[in-house]
Amino acid sequence: MNTKYYLAVDIGASSGRHMLSHLENGKIVLEEIYRFPNGMIEKNGHKVWDVDQLFQEILTGMKKCAMVGKIPYSMGIDTWAVDFVLLDENDERIGDAVAYRDRRTEDMDRKVYEFIPEDDLYGRTGIQKQIFNTIYQLMAVKKKHPEYLEQAETLLHVPDYFHFLLTGQKTCEYTEATTGQLVSPITKDWDYELIDMLGYPRKMFQKLIMPGTGIGHLSDKIREEVGFDLEVVAPATHDTGSAVLAVPANDDDFIYISSGTWSLMGIERKEADCSEKSCEMNFTNEGGYAGRFRYLKNI
């Protein structure tokens, strides 16, 4: 019987890796196929991600799978949270993929609170205040480059952008989207009322998909380059979402600590806690697999 291989591409702030997995006697066997460095670069006065180079690394790792004769049946990519690219009507990138550690969001919290008070924002989204959240990054774009928002047809978070480059399909995956502070924990969809309030163009925001959703097969161009085809399936594209899903706990009675560039500690719950107390404690309700919430704190 042919072994079915599944490829996970996990990209963090300082490195990325391609992990192939398959099942043996009911257990998942992991094999590292490729590893590559990552880091922010200075460009046009900002800290940005070199997404073109990262995409080349993704393709290189896929080619390594073919070289060792282990063609994946499907694959998915996860990355860090909140960062995004904007695309114009020709699907060309507008500006750079600015990184969350860039200083462009300084004072953007005050600009956002001119439209909605801070406690109301937490009540609507359940997401802790971090000055680099997508909501503040978009306010920085609006204030400093309004022409970008005028040209923008599409907003894609970084992992969604890589899935788009592989398949030509534009999607926004739920766990990643929630970190940006623009998603309702009740509807589990974009909070369009909030988006309108802030003056961000509605049309940029793609339909949200849940982890486990098939996105599509490789485009002809990519298939030709890597030498095979497969289905791209959205994982929990926020790396912490995938990490928590992998915690070997078979009930709800557990606490996790996830450590990478950041360390996060929390629990999983079925409903978000958007209370005043939770806001005061600066806990966050990030989207998890199967519509759950990762109730956690940066430690």
Side-chain angles (χ1 to χ4, degrees):
M1 193 177 128
N2 281 346
T3 305
K4 255 190 189 175
Y5 294 99
Y6 302 87
L7 177 63
V9 182
D10 171 45
I11 309 178
S14 57
S15 70
R17 59 190 175 155
H18 289 57
M19 301 293 290
L20 263 188
S21 68
H22 67 277
L23 280 176
E24 252 176 52
N25 304 321
K27 289 193 173 175
I28 296 176
V29 179
L30 296 175
E31 177 187 358
E32 185 182 302
I33 290 293
Y34 185 59
R35 189 178 277 268
F36 55 93
N38 186 26
M40 295 165 221
I41 58 172
E42 290 283 341
K43 189 179 173 191
N44 301 323
H46 292 286
K47 286 185 169 64
V48 306
W49 302 107
D50 190 347
V51 286
D52 296 326
Q53 177 59 30
L54 287 174
F55 189 62
Q56 288 310 309
E57 299 285 14
I58 291 167
L59 297 180
T60 300
M62 291 169 73
K63 291 173 194 171
K64 293 260 179 178
C65 295
M67 281 163 64
V68 297
K70 296 176 178 178
I71 305 293
Y73 175 74
S74 67
M75 72 176 284
I77 300 167
D78 73 20
T79 75
W80 59 94
V82 305
D83 289 342
F84 60 90
V85 299
L86 298 174
L87 304 180
D88 66 16
E89 58 186 1
N90 301 314
D91 294 334
E92 296 294 329
R93 223 168 44 238
I94 303 167
D96 295 309
V98 179
Y100 62 84
R101 288 187 190 272
D102 186 72
R103 296 177 63 167
R104 69 174 175 168
T105 51
E106 279 179 9
D107 287 336
M108 290 303 145
D109 48 348
R110 289 191 301 111
K111 301 290 183 195
V112 165
Y113 303 149
E114 286 171 17
F115 298 96
I116 181 169
E118 185 176 357
D119 51 352
D120 286 1
L121 182 60
Y122 187 88
R124 288 183 86 110
T125 65
I127 297 297
Q128 71 185 131
K129 178 184 176 178
Q130 307 239 49
I131 193 62
F132 49 68
N133 287 351
T134 313
I135 190 172
Y136 304 116
Q137 290 202 43
L138 280 171
M139 186 56 73
V141 175
K142 183 182 165 185
K143 293 294 177 191
K144 296 167 187 179
H145 289 285
E147 72 279 10
Y148 287 5
L149 287 189
E150 281 166 31
Q151 296 164 33
E153 290 289 326
T154 308
L155 177 147
L156 296 175
H157 286 97
V158 171
D160 302 313
Y161 179 55
F162 292 142
H163 287 150
F164 164 68
L165 293 177
L166 288 172
T167 65
Q169 302 298 316
K170 296 174 186 173
T171 54
C172 269
E173 187 275 321
Y174 166 75
T175 67
E176 179 82 9
T178 61
T179 64
Q181 217 172 350
L182 290 164
V183 172
S184 163
I186 296 161
T187 64
K188 296 182 171 59
D189 196 1
W190 297 111
D191 185 337
Y192 286 109
E193 195 181 4
L194 174 60
I195 285 165
D196 291 345
M197 250 187 257
L198 295 162
Y200 304 156
R202 244 185 212 232
K203 66 179 178 184
M204 301 191 309
F205 297 89
Q206 308 304 298
K207 184 179 185 301
L208 288 187
I209 60 169
M210 285 291 174
T213 304
I215 293 173
H217 281 257
L218 299 180
S219 69
D220 293 347
K221 181 180 167 217
I222 300 298
R223 194 165 61 232
E224 212 170 283
E225 182 164 352
V226 298
F228 56 85
D229 190 23
L230 50 66
E231 185 182 15
V232 176
V233 178
T237 61
H238 181 206
D239 49 13
T240 315
S242 278
V244 170
L245 179 55
V247 171
N250 53 13
D251 60 25
D252 289 330
D253 190 19
F254 70 94
I255 291 173
Y256 53 80
I257 295 178
S258 172
S259 289
T261 310
W262 300 80
S263 283
L264 312 148
M265 183 166 75
I267 59 173
E268 265 198 312
R269 42 193 317 169
K270 294 189 173 71
E271 286 179 12
D273 180 351
C274 302
S275 66
E276 274 179 48
K277 180 80 186 288
S278 183
C279 181
E280 276 166 36
M281 306 285 284
N282 210 26
F283 275 86
T284 197
N285 298 270
E286 293 177 354
Y289 179 73
R292 289 170 171 245
F293 294 93
R294 289 174 287 116
Y295 190 62
L296 60 82
K297 194 172 182 69
N298 283 340
I299 56 167

